[in-house]
Structures are given as structure tokens and as C-alpha cells.
Amino acid sequence: MNKKGFIFDLDGVIVDTAKYHYLAWSDLASELGFEFTIEQNEMFKGVSRKRCMEILLDIGGITATKNQFDTWMVEKNVDYLKYIDKMDASEILPDVVRVLDFLKKHHIPIALGSASKNAQPILEKVGLLSYFDTIVDGNNVTKAKPDPEVFLLAAKQLGVKADDCVVFEDAVAGIEAANKANMVSIGIGDKNILSEAQYNFKDFTEMDAIFLNGLLAGK
Ligand code: G6P
Ligand code: MG
């Protein structure tokens, strides 16, 4: 059996930070004089901060100078940090810890593969940092998902071949990135939205030990 590696996305897979991103982006939108809806927030999942800012300005029909663009992006993040500052272990999504414990018990290397530049403080706040052998996030990559860079780098840092990695993702762009990296892609969320994933689960509560053992034995 080849050595396996598991890669977790953060936002929407380990914790539901999408709601805090939404609050911070909608605070900024209202300051700029328009409404940003929860439906529009779907487009922001898995997407880099800079790209989110561009989409937000498109929605509001606003043209910004480079200076304004950068200032607003910082402002949004400062606001977001205020929300995540209050996070604790109660915000870990159901059965994430069970799956992490299962992998630890089997001595499987675990990576984080996220677009967020706030990944490390969030993992610290919710008390999960020690589970991760390596963290690849928005600070380490140049190409955003759906480019596979983040997952390929995570595999490299784990010392596991890309073919032997399994990825948990809640964003369409993330599933596309995992598929491009030739990894097993597991969609966490709505299977109609994540239809390109190899396997789909509403959340980790649906993922039993038989399935997890199958992943360890697979390929
Ligand atoms: C994740 C989220 C996105 C967010 C991105 C950057 O991928 O799903 O909604 O825009 O991270 O997050 P950051 O914390 O760096 O602003
Ligand atoms: Mg995500």
C-alpha cells in the first residue's frame, strides 16, 4: 500500500467562516452604498481575497483606484478578524475531530490546503493546529484554486505522491483543483453544486469508518 496523505480545505470544511466573510464583505458593501446578498456570497467561496474584492466592486458597479482597492481590502480583513477573534472549538463543524482522530490513529500525514491568509490563527483559535503536519495557505501560493498549486505543494510538504492524496473541499474551485492534481476529491456540502467531486457528503457525520478505511486501502 502506498503512503496516503489527506488535505483539508479550511473555510466550509473545518469551520463555517463563510458567515463571517459574508458579514465583513456586506459591512464594506453597505459603506460603499450597495447591498451584498447571501446568495452572492456563494461566489466568494474558495476564492482569494483579492478576487472577492474585484467581484464585490463589480456587483456594486464601482471603479476603484489602486489605493482605494487596497484600503478597502485591508478594511474588510480588519473587520473579518474582529469576527474570528471570538471563535473557539465550538465552531468546529460536526465530526471533523472524529475524522482527524481516525487519521492520526492510522499515522496518516495531514495538511491544510486553503486560500485564506488567516488559516493559522483560525486553527489556533479552534484548537486544531496540532493535527496538521503542514499548512499551505494564501501566504504560500501564487496561483489560486482552481489551480492545483496549493494541493500539489501540500502533497510535496507531506512527502506523499499527489496520486495518493485525498482532498476535502466545499468549493467548486477547490474540487476542480483537486481533480487537476489527480487527487481523490471529496465534496463536503451540496452534491448538486459539487457534482465534479469523486465522492460527495453533506458533512463529515455521513462519513463512516468503512468509507475512511476504503480511502486508506484505495488505489
Ligand atoms: C477561503 C474562503 C474565501 C476567502 C479566502 C481568502 O477560500 O472560502 O471566501 O475569500 O479563503 O480568505 P482570507 O482569510 O485570506 O481573506
Ligand atoms: Mg472552502
Side-chain angles (χ1 to χ4, degrees):
M1 186 175 92
N2 290 329
K3 189 174 132 195
K4 303 287 175 193
F6 278 61
I7 307 173
F8 289 73
D9 173 48
L10 175 69
D11 297 286
V13 169
I14 293 176
V15 282
D16 177 21
T17 38
K19 61 184 180 216
Y20 300 130
H21 280 295
Y22 172 67
L23 289 172
W25 285 123
S26 54
D27 286 349
L28 179 62
S30 55
E31 185 194 315
L32 299 177
F34 64 95
E35 197 200 344
F36 174 57
T37 68
I38 194 90
E39 289 77 28
Q40 288 165 333
N41 192 53
E42 278 302 306
M43 287 188 277
F44 284 35
K45 291 187 176 170
V47 174
S48 73
R49 194 183 309 166
K50 182 164 176 280
R51 184 70 199 120
C52 290
M53 186 74 228
E54 289 166 358
I55 303 173
L56 190 82
L57 293 178
D58 266 359
I59 293 171
I62 291 176
T63 319
T65 63
K66 165 96 176 60
N67 228 337
Q68 282 173 321
F69 189 99
D70 292 346
T71 306
W72 291 336
M73 227 174 35
V74 170
E75 206 177 293
K76 181 269 168 181
N77 194 53
V78 169
D79 198 14
Y80 177 66
L81 290 177
K82 275 188 221 145
Y83 290 114
I84 64 169
D85 192 48
K86 301 184 192 87
M87 287 182 84
D88 61 25
S90 67
E91 300 213 34
I92 301 170
L93 289 169
D95 274 7
V96 167
V97 174
R98 179 179 59 83
V99 173
L100 287 170
D101 281 334
F102 173 92
L103 296 172
K104 278 282 165 227
K105 199 178 99 194
H106 289 85
H107 308 289
I108 300 295
I110 305 172
L112 191 84
S114 165
S116 174
K117 294 187 173 174
N118 297 305
Q120 181 133 349
I122 292 173
L123 286 179
E124 267 168 38
K125 289 217 163 290
V126 301
L128 292 181
L129 190 61
S130 61
Y131 280 96
F132 291 84
D133 297 290
T134 189
I135 290 177
V136 181
D137 63 20
N139 300 297
N140 316 112
V141 293
T142 51
K143 289 173 250 157
K145 300 169 190 175
D147 190 282
E149 184 186 14
V150 59
F151 295 142
L152 292 173
L153 189 57
K156 194 171 165 205
Q157 292 189 3
L158 290 179
V160 177
K161 285 196 296 181
D163 292 15
D164 291 319
C165 286
V166 175
V167 173
F168 297 116
E169 254 296 346
D170 73 312
V172 175
I175 293 295
E176 205 182 320
N179 289 341
K180 279 186 191 156
N182 205 23
M183 298 177 175
V184 175
S185 58
I186 304 188
I188 305 293
D190 187 333
K191 70 172 186 300
N192 297 313
I193 296 174
L194 304 172
S195 56
E196 295 299 313
Q198 246 168 290
Y199 300 97
N200 289 90
F201 293 89
K202 189 170 66 56
D203 58 36
F204 285 104
T205 64
E206 290 188 340
M207 202 177 293
D208 61 17
I210 298 172
F211 178 77
L212 289 168
N213 277 314
L215 289 175
L216 298 192
K219 279 206 209 168

